[in-house]
Amino acid sequence: MEHINSFYLLSSLFLLSHIATSSMEQRGAYIIHMDKSVIPAPFPTPHHWYTSTLSSLTSKDGIAPIHLYTYKHVMDGFSAVLSKSQLNQLEKMPGHVVTYDEQLGQAHTTHTPKFLGLKKRAGLWPAGSFGDDMIVGILDTGIYPESESFSDHGMPSVPQRWRGGCESGTEFNSSNCNHKLIGARSFSKALKQLNLTISGPDDYDSPRDFFGHGTHTSSTAVGSKVTDVDYFGYAKGTAIGIAPLARLAMYKVLFYNDTLVSAASDTLAGIDQAIEDGVDLMSLSLGFPETTFDGNPIAVGSFAAMEKGIFVSCSAGNSGPHAYTMFNGAPWITTVGAGTIDREFLAYVTLGDGVATIKGKSIYPMDLSISHVSLYYGQDTNKQNCEDFSLDSIEVLGKIVFCAFNNRTRVRAQMKEVARAGAKGALLATNLTKSTSFFAFNFPFVAISPIEGELIKDYLQKTSEATVDIKFIITELGTKPAPQVANFSSRGPNQRAPWVLKPDILAPGVEVLAAWPLDKAITPIGEDDSLNTDYALLSGTSMSSPHVVGIATLLKSAHRDWSSAAIRSAMMTTADVIDNQNEQILDISTGTAGTPLDFGAGHVNPNKAVDPGLVYDIEVEDYINFLCALNYTSQQIKVITRRSNYACDQANLDLNYPSFAVVLSNNTNTTTYSFKRVLTNVANSDSVYRAVIWAPSGMEVVVEPSTLTFGSKYTKAEFTMKVVVDVAGHSTQSGYIGKHGYLIWYEIKGKHVVRSPIVLAFAP
Ligand SMILES: *[C@@H]1O[C@H](CO)[C@@H](O)[C@H](O)[C@H]1NC(C)=O
Ligand SMILES: *[C@@H]1O[C@H](CO)[C@@H](O)[C@H](O)[C@H]1NC(C)=O
Ligand SMILES: *[C@@H]1O[C@H](CO)[C@@H](O)[C@H](O)[C@H]1NC(C)=O
Ligand SMILES: *[C@@H]1O[C@H](CO)[C@@H](O)[C@H](O)[C@H]1NC(C)=O
Ligand SMILES: *[C@@H]1O[C@H](CO)[C@@H](O)[C@H](O)[C@H]1NC(C)=O
Ligand SMILES: *[C@@H]1O[C@H](CO)[C@@H](O)[C@H](O)[C@H]1NC(C)=O
Ligand SMILES: *[C@@H]1O[C@H](CO)[C@@H](O)[C@H](O)[C@H]1NC(C)=O
Ligand SMILES: *[C@@H]1O[C@H](CO)[C@@H](O)[C@H](O)[C@H]1NC(C)=O
Ligand SMILES: *[C@@H]1O[C@H](CO)[C@@H](O)[C@H](O)[C@H]1NC(C)=O
């Protein structure tokens, strides 16, 4: 006995010191793909096989593997935390296919939410009674169930086919779900392994939304109609999602840790569960690094969703405005860029002489009455430019500081300096007034143009007692031009597959108003006040994806038999390529006309998408043949499609896509590119269409035949299109990338117009 005890004591001491010293093995989380077809007979399910395999792995430090998730739909396999030696053992076992390292993704929103809560109309489109009976899964930061936008007033009971659930966790339980919010789950196992403190104070270990992002995206897509809402007494209005009668299921995969992060294995688990639960559509406003599609959890997960007829929309990313900055470029995903809307938030500035009233840009949320307040302009250049630590708190106390524009103005630094010095407010002359990067709602900032800055300088010269009046909280609707491509919106070409144009489409993503957790102060105002709001303005492609999933929900509801590719085609071929001034849609980053590499097929137009006339449809096999043509190995194809030894005898880069990317190689003078596409009639009657080409010089396009005749609904017709590009004298991309034309099918004696961009791209 004694002996055993002392031995036990010794060995446990030994074990302790063993752990405390360097011999404890490094561990990591891995996503492990398995070949389900070689499952040994005794195991009733793959899950039993995987967990048994895991428990058979040994390690020197005696720490057992931790199983995270077994995947059912998105892939064959599981995720687990393992040491390197355990991974080595696992990789030698029969049935192991390939292992991917855990990786982190990010939300595609700006990290600082932009203020506000002017209760104006939300959603650009009048709400129909569509969306009924559709279930939309949103993978995001969770949900604030108390928001009026998720009220189920008047909604019928939960559809019978729904298999989802409402998980309990920190400050969340099943009573938070209702007939609107019909499911809510949280996936944090992998992030917890990375030691993220999810259980507060920074987030909730439950479907409850801490950050607000998921509440915002969800209400944009499917928020219930909320009438007569107001914010601190400001303009009353109606808040409404794009598909207000659709049901919502939240899958929380993004957690707050300075920024919003997501682990690949958690995201895969969220998509897997959404498929299992029975969602009809999904939206993901996050992205992982653009690797080949097999290494990207959203590409892998959404392939399985697409196969089951689930529409998947994703944000294109906020890494613009340069080329090749796209995320979520897999062709079975609908990839959405961000555009501005025709609404601006302003402040009116009137100078003391009453001569000029300037419309500045401001999103300051409080109606400060600034009337005849002293306007401060420093005596020397540093003070005039509001350079770091140039302002004297006593000098600027109670005054509005004017910060001049010059060729080294850094507006953010100016804002910081004015706030540091504690002035009453500031007028900032900047050429970035159109840029959405101008945001600060926590201080009375007004951005004005350099020209208006000169006006103010003139006024300052004329008087020694300059004063100013400022009226905040002016919302102007119908501003022009709109939409424009947001500076931050990620641009094509598609990094991993330039043969498919990405982004697909543009949707509102700048200063979008949607629901927000009321318990979360959106911004500190002044020293000790903070504003809580139930509606907030955010910008990012994160905000545009839910618009598109909402529109897709309406389309799917109206056309139950359309595939996800048909829904996307309907949106793309009817998208707007001109703005509200009848000009080509501008790219804010250049101030000149954008190209399809910026806006895809154009800005989504929901009312037209309902009735596109024709669609370019795509079958599952077509996507696999596309992967074959990308020269993916049979292992990569298995990882994405769960098909073993796919034949790849029909490899084809020419997907039946509603847009055309002509991929050039350097150092060729003339390139001839051929496409073969099939159109399907989705109108209720026979029709004849004629092709019209719009092409820039240097691009010659021939369509054969140029007239297509369709019989009854769902009949098909095929055409070929040859594009000859003359790049003589140019050996590089400059001047060619983004050059574009359009192929437009006009219905003869009918109203349908089916437009596709033809754009020149280069492989990255
Ligand atoms: C769920 O939470 C609510 C509010 O926190 C509480 O009133 C209710 O009792 C809880 N229900 C269950 C089933 O735990
Ligand atoms: C998490 O914390 C544990 C305990 O402090 C530590 O052993 C482990 O290495 C940490 N894991 C990571 C990924 O940092
Ligand atoms: C969480 O934030 C900490 C501090 O910024 C950082 O060191 C850590 O890498 C982050 N973890 C993840 C998983 O992003
Ligand atoms: C703004 O002004 C700076 C300095 O003159 C200049 O470098 C920059 O290109 C301008 N930006 C825009 C968008 O006009
Ligand atoms: C910026 O402006 C200063 C003074 O106006 C001038 O001396 C300087 O050359 C300018 N720099 C550039 C890069 O234009
Ligand atoms: C666009 O974004 C880039 C990169 O973030 C930035 O340098 C540039 O100033 C922005 N342009 C405008 C007009 O906001
Ligand atoms: C795939 O491989 C073939 C044969 O080597 C090659 O001709 C083709 O260009 C490759 N395709 C891509 C997309 O790299
Ligand atoms: C392409 O055109 C340039 C200029 O016209 C000429 O110098 C070059 O030899 C041509 N290259 C080929 C491959 O034909
Ligand atoms: C094509 O030219 C661009 C520069 O214009 C260069 O960056 C790229 O690497 C070239 N691509 C190939 C495949 O040579």
Side-chain angles (χ1 to χ4, degrees), residues 578-622:
I578 56 161
D579 63 23
N580 61 1
Q581 296 193 129
N582 270 326
E583 304 284 349
Q584 294 182 61
I585 291 177
L586 296 180
D587 173 358
I588 280 188
S589 74
T590 59
T592 60
T595 80
L597 297 178
D598 307 316
F599 55 63
H603 192 273
V604 66
N605 184 328
N607 295 329
K608 281 196 195 159
V610 175
D611 183 19
L614 307 174
V615 297
Y616 294 86
D617 206 355
I618 303 178
E619 311 269 334
V620 176
E621 302 287 306
D622 301 334

Side-chain angles (χ1 to χ4, degrees), residues 24 27 193-195:
M24 191 171 132
R27 291 184 147 68
Q193 290 303 321
L194 292 168
N195 292 343

Side-chain angles (χ1 to χ4, degrees), residues 499 629-631 653:
W499 297 272
L630 289 177
N631 295 331
L653 279 179

Side-chain angles (χ1 to χ4, degrees), residues 377-577:
Y377 189 49
Q379 293 297 313
D380 60 57
T381 317
N382 286 349
K383 289 181 178 184
Q384 293 176 357
N385 294 332
C386 304
E387 301 201 347
D388 294 353
F389 297 100
S390 64
L391 300 179
D392 181 330
S393 300
I394 296 173
E395 274 182 52
V396 302
L397 184 71
K399 296 178 184 163
I400 300 292
V401 174
F402 170 57
C403 299
F405 173 76
N406 68 16
N407 58 13
R408 50 195 178 118
T409 302
R410 292 173 307 130
V411 69
R412 275 169 200 274
Q414 291 179 327
M415 285 160 43
K416 208 172 143 201
E417 173 60 7
V418 172
R420 184 200 64 79
K424 192 175 180 74
L427 302 177
L428 305 151
T430 167
N431 59 356
L432 300 177
T433 49
K434 288 232 163 56
S435 156
T436 56
S437 67
F438 185 80
F439 58 86
F441 39 75
N442 57 342
F443 202 84
F445 290 119
V446 182
I448 59 176
S449 72
I451 294 168
E452 290 156 347
E454 291 304 314
L455 264 177
I456 292 183
K457 277 190 195 166
D458 290 348
Y459 165 64
L460 283 160
Q461 267 171 11
K462 279 188 275 178
T463 173
S464 57
E465 307 224 319
T467 63
V468 68
D469 291 8
I470 305 177
K471 176 140 186 51
F472 287 99
I473 319 177
I474 310 283
T475 301
E476 203 165 89
L477 295 173
T479 55
K480 292 176 178 178
Q484 301 181 61
V485 182
N487 193 33
F488 59 75
S489 189
S490 286
R491 308 298 206 268
N494 194 348
Q495 296 171 66
R496 292 291 162 174
W499 297 272
V500 169
L501 170 65
K502 291 280 174 174
D504 290 308
I505 202 155
L506 201 68
V510 176
E511 295 173 349
V512 172
L513 182 65
W516 194 253
L518 187 55
D519 61 356
K520 182 170 164 74
I522 190 158
T523 172
I525 291 275
E527 294 264 296
D528 39 33
D529 290 339
S530 76
L531 276 182
N532 290 45
T533 175
D534 47 4
Y535 285 81
L537 286 175
L538 267 72
S539 296
T541 53
S542 278
M543 282 63 245
S544 27
S545 179
H547 280 92
V548 161
V549 91
I551 293 164
T553 302
L554 304 177
L555 292 172
K556 203 174 165 81
S557 179
H559 305 287
R560 307 249 162 179
D561 47 355
W562 282 11
S563 69
S564 298
I567 291 171
R568 173 174 59 193
S569 177
M571 290 193 274
M572 287 174 68
T573 63
T574 59
D576 293 330
V577 294

Side-chain angles (χ1 to χ4, degrees), residues 738-751:
K739 197 163 185 175
H740 63 284
Y742 291 97
L743 163 63
I744 308 163
W745 292 100
Y746 283 100
E747 187 180 8
I748 297 172
K749 296 190 194 130
K751 62 180 163 60

Side-chain angles (χ1 to χ4, degrees), residues 557-721:
S557 179
H559 305 287
R560 307 249 162 179
D561 47 355
W562 282 11
S563 69
S564 298
I567 291 171
R568 173 174 59 193
S569 177
M571 290 193 274
M572 287 174 68
T573 63
T574 59
D576 293 330
V577 294
I578 56 161
D579 63 23
N580 61 1
Q581 296 193 129
N582 270 326
E583 304 284 349
Q584 294 182 61
I585 291 177
L586 296 180
D587 173 358
I588 280 188
S589 74
T590 59
T592 60
T595 80
L597 297 178
D598 307 316
F599 55 63
H603 192 273
V604 66
N605 184 328
N607 295 329
K608 281 196 195 159
V610 175
D611 183 19
L614 307 174
V615 297
Y616 294 86
D617 206 355
I618 303 178
E619 311 269 334
V620 176
E621 302 287 306
D622 301 334
Y623 290 118
I624 309 177
N625 293 331
F626 180 77
L627 297 176
C628 293
L630 289 177
N631 295 331
Y632 275 31
T633 63
S634 88
Q635 180 178 295
Q636 288 176 301
I637 291 175
K638 175 168 168 43
V639 165
I640 299 164
T641 70
R642 299 170 316 287
R643 285 162 177 77
S644 297
N645 306 315
Y646 188 79
C648 273
D649 49 2
Q650 312 266 324
N652 185 8
L653 279 179
D654 185 18
L655 265 181
N656 197 40
Y657 220 77
S659 58
F660 299 85
V662 178
V663 181
L664 303 177
S665 43
N666 293 342
N667 306 315
T668 47
N669 281 348
T670 309
T671 298
T672 301
Y673 221 86
S674 293
F675 300 92
K676 184 171 168 191
R677 301 277 162 106
V678 180
L679 281 160
T680 304
N681 182 18
V682 291
N684 288 321
S685 55
D686 303 2
S687 51
V688 180
Y689 284 79
R690 186 170 47 87
V692 172
I693 300 295
W694 183 91
S697 64
M699 188 198 275
E700 205 177 295
V701 182
V702 180
V703 174
E704 201 37 64
S706 60
T707 301
L708 293 178
T709 304
F710 296 87
S712 56
K713 194 172 186 177
Y714 300 133
T715 54
K716 293 175 188 287
E718 199 174 281
F719 68 92
T720 60
M721 186 174 83

